[in-house]
Amino acid sequence: MFEKCEKQHERLHFARVLQGVGDFGGYYFMFVRLCRKKECNPLLVGLLTQAAFLVLCLSSALAADSAVPAIKVDQVGYLPQATKTALVTAPGKTFVVKRDSDGSTVLQGKLSAAVSSHDTGDVVAAADFTALRTPGSYYVEVPGAGRSFTFAIQPDVYDRAYYLATRAFYGQRCGMAVDMGSEFPGYSHAICHQHGDFDVSSGRQGEHDNIGGWHDAGDYGRYVVNSGISTGALVWAWEMNGDKVRKISLNIPESGDGTPDLLSEVRWNLRWMLQMQDDDGGVWPKQTSKKFSGFVMPQDDKLPSAVIGTGTTPFKSTCATGDLAAVAAIAARVYQPYDAAFAVKNLKAARAAWNWLEQHPNVIFKNPPGISTGEYGDDQCGDEILWAAAELWRTTGDESFNRYFLAHRSEYMGSLDVVPAENWREVGAMGLWTYVLGNRKGSDEKVVEEIRGATIAAAQRIVEQTRANPYRVSLLTKDYVWGSNGVAASYGMELIVANRFAPNPAYIETSLDNLHYLLGRNAFSLSWVTQLGSNPFSHPHHRPSGAGSTAHPWPGMLSGGPNAGRQDALLAKLPADLPPARNYVDDQNSYASNEIAINWQAMLVFLLSVPNCGIEERAKLLLPRICQLRLLSVLRFASLKVVVPVELQDYRSGKDDSQCNGGPLIGVDNDVDGQCNQCGLPDHSNDHVEHVFEKVAVRLDFRILRLHHLEDRPPESPWPDASIEVL
């Protein structure tokens, strides 16, 4: 009787009513409203009313049994050598970590002093269990406050999350039949949106069966502007972290065809974007129906899908054209090894788009009369042009693109200071960052250093604001907007880029803090990714999830998250004095807090691509002078016991090692024969001194490395040969 009340295949669990005072109001009244609308059992409504009264009176006594645990953890888990923190919103002094399989205690500790969280209304203490590194499944207990959800500690703990989040794009494909396979039986739909035409606003007429692309969000529209930042973030994930993700099969139709799966998935959308380009190089902004469809499956959406333009000459928009120019320029370089013809096609499209941009530097798009689908309106397209110029310079080395970038980049330096609320609207940072990342000969070194410095300064501020937040998330009060979870992921992206510029462990740790927030370490104890974690959100504003017959939503999708703007009816009914981070409803009708969107999704994939397979980024920053003897794709973190001869422990020669271009080193023993193959130094077996290094990178097929002491030895002091044991 207590378990559910249904509305359009939704289930609102009784347990959700017992969330505590902080977020009780909206859920309880919503439940009563839904039940009345559905004519649920009056006895159920009466009992729920009594239960709600008990919540108000006895909320402090519910900490141990509440549907929202007082102990918040990343429900996916933690890397063995990473910082591990649970957050506790109930009174307590101590905590224990227990093994999930048998309940045995593996670690005990004291909670930090509790701190008030203005954005949530909670009082939060921290339970630091970083010392626990043994792989396994665990949970945290606080006496009197109950237990957390289960989490894992594993070197590959985020592989599954990366797989689901990236594969969610396959679930959003338009123009083909989609089947998520035996892993998710029933998650499928027939071929959809096979016919289209030109809307009168496009300046063209007749049929235009432009098939492909991704459904943008919870609706079935396709939008070039939002595809721009989404596609750009995904191909950047490949460029920056491809060695880590290339071996993870996404189980998509193209798997095994010779192109890495991430690039195959992106290509599906890129092909559609290219078809949105007119013969003159300009790009139409979107392909949608005139209005949003009802909650039907994709194949049942019979509204005409039309190419929509600005309504007046030149009918295409500058922002859409700039976005295509940028991502096509990236595609021209990343697809070259796998699909040369596609790479050439993209470069041609990027150049044609640039030529159009030179003639039309600020043609703005607003929905024409009679069109009510998403607008993605932007009244300033200079940042899209800057991004396009930087990517074309990086890809081609054509000096004209460099000149344009240098002439206009100062207008957008301020974009490095603030993570935008709408990342599709403000892409100037992408242009600035790629100018540095490209390392193109001929780039202005002074400008490169200016961009690098501004990014590092911004990253340091993000680290500080995250550390000051009791919930260990980078979001500021102003960031709880439509798509706030995407903003959290975008903070992670900026930190990861900054780490490329100037490796710093704090940048990677803070990017992981934002990931922990998205995966359950938040005020709601929700994993904001469908079918991921012990307590994922359940009712996205997503038509296939709402219209289908599956018990759960389609997997791997990121919710928009708390939104203090309250732009839908359900949010508007929440108590007026709720803190900003509490403005969230897990209901498909809350499109302002619970829709999914490809731009937020792409930022999540980018964030997950870094720790996936071992966080090479942190390896680079912790071993800045390690000798890169050969390219390896797999690394992981471990504690190492380094053994050196007693008589050599204070060795200070300062000599260079000619085989590794100088610097302090310890040799490499590839075949484990006791001889340092690359550098020819013998191992030692007598009179050794042991040194333990925490959180250092290990090449899985190496038994011995050359490295310098990270803690107390000056960088100019080389170490002689030493053995290394993985602890």
Side-chain angles (χ1 to χ4, degrees), residues 1 33 47 53 113 301 372 431 437 559 610 672 678 697 717 724 726:
M1 179 189 301
R33 179 180 63 80
L47 288 171
F53 178 77
D301 175 19
S372 60
L437 291 168
S559 169
V610 177
V672 198
Q678 267 73 8
S717 300
I724 291 182
V726 179

Side-chain angles (χ1 to χ4, degrees), residues 295-350:
F295 261 67
V296 297
M297 293 298 287
Q299 69 271 19
D300 298 324
D301 175 19
K302 303 303 182 183
L303 297 175
S305 178
V307 173
I308 294 171
T310 62
T312 59
T313 304
F315 301 106
K316 283 78 64 176
S317 84
T318 301
C319 289
T321 305
D323 281 319
L324 177 69
V327 298
I330 307 171
R333 59 180 184 259
V334 302
Y335 285 94
Q336 182 62 38
Y338 310 104
D339 189 341
F342 188 62
V344 170
K345 184 176 183 179
N346 273 276
L347 184 56
K348 181 179 178 180

Side-chain angles (χ1 to χ4, degrees), residues 384-643:
E384 282 83 0
I385 301 176
L386 186 82
W387 184 24
E391 296 292 4
L392 279 161
W393 164 243
R394 182 176 177 180
T395 297
T396 68
D398 187 325
E399 183 59 31
S400 63
F401 301 124
N402 190 30
R403 286 195 300 270
Y404 181 93
F405 178 87
L406 293 175
H408 294 87
R409 58 91 193 171
S410 61
E411 304 167 33
Y412 301 96
M413 288 297 293
S415 65
L416 299 175
D417 297 330
V418 180
V419 171
E422 296 174 317
N423 61 0
W424 55 265
R425 186 194 297 271
E426 299 177 42
V427 296
M430 298 288 282
L432 296 170
W433 290 336
T434 203
Y435 192 78
V436 179
L437 291 168
N439 197 29
R440 165 66 71 174
K441 183 179 180 180
S443 295
D444 188 312
E445 288 302 318
K446 183 178 179 181
V447 171
V448 167
E449 289 307 311
E450 184 180 350
I451 297 169
R452 191 193 310 272
T455 302
I456 293 166
Q460 194 57 45
R461 288 193 293 272
I462 295 170
V463 169
E464 292 167 1
Q465 75 192 42
T466 306
R467 289 173 175 172
N469 190 317
Y471 265 98
R472 310 287 179 93
V473 65
S474 300
L475 296 172
L476 300 171
T477 301
K478 68 178 181 62
D479 292 326
Y480 290 97
V481 295
W482 197 317
S484 64
N485 284 343
V487 178
S490 295
Y491 273 114
M493 182 180 191
E494 179 153 1
L495 289 160
I496 291 162
V497 171
N499 184 66
R500 276 297 174 106
F501 294 169
N504 186 327
Y507 300 162
I508 298 299
E509 291 288 358
T510 307
S511 72
L512 285 172
D513 279 330
N514 289 291
L515 184 60
H516 298 328
Y517 170 83
L518 297 176
L519 299 180
R521 204 178 67 183
N522 54 64
F524 295 93
S525 287
L526 277 177
S527 167
W528 268 309
V529 181
T530 51
Q531 298 206 41
L532 188 64
S534 301
N535 188 38
F537 84 106
S538 300
H539 309 293
H541 184 84
H542 178 246
R543 280 162 174 74
S545 295
S549 59
T550 55
H552 303 285
W554 282 53
M557 300 182 300
L558 178 67
S559 169
N563 177 9
R566 302 182 179 215
Q567 294 97 333
D568 64 52
L570 293 184
L571 291 180
K573 292 180 180 180
L574 294 176
D577 59 350
L578 274 183
R582 291 283 183 179
N583 287 272
Y584 171 78
V585 180
D586 188 5
D587 186 289
Q588 77 169 26
N589 292 317
S590 183
Y591 51 83
S593 75
N594 218 32
E595 188 169 13
I596 63 96
I598 58 173
N599 57 320
W600 311 329
Q601 192 75 26
M603 292 298 159
L604 175 63
V605 171
F606 186 93
L607 194 54
L608 287 165
S609 73
V610 177
N612 185 64
C613 299
I615 313 187
E616 184 181 3
E617 294 313 303
R618 211 185 293 170
K620 289 180 179 178
L621 61 92
L622 286 173
L623 300 179
R625 302 186 66 182
I626 196 168
C627 176
Q628 303 292 335
L629 294 176
R630 66 186 182 90
L631 180 63
L632 294 164
S633 61
V634 181
L635 297 93
R636 68 180 175 89
F637 279 122
S639 295
L640 302 180
K641 182 172 69 176
V642 180
V643 183

Side-chain angles (χ1 to χ4, degrees), residues 159 162-163 166 234 237-252 254-265 334-339 605 608-610 612-614 616 631-634:
D159 279 14
Y162 170 83
Y163 168 80
T166 310
L234 292 176
W238 169 258
E239 283 198 298
M240 295 178 70
N241 307 302
D243 284 343
K244 299 189 205 51
V245 303
R246 68 187 308 138
K247 295 184 179 180
I248 297 180
S249 172
L250 299 179
N251 293 324
I252 57 177
E254 297 85 355
S255 293
D257 70 354
T259 299
D261 280 4
L262 177 59
L263 294 184
S264 290
E265 187 55 53
V334 302
Y335 285 94
Q336 182 62 38
Y338 310 104
D339 189 341
V605 171
L608 287 165
S609 73
V610 177
N612 185 64
C613 299
E616 184 181 3
L631 180 63
L632 294 164
S633 61
V634 181

Side-chain angles (χ1 to χ4, degrees), residues 53-65:
F53 178 77
L54 289 173
V55 169
L56 288 173
C57 296
L58 304 173
S59 60
S60 63
L62 288 172
D65 299 314

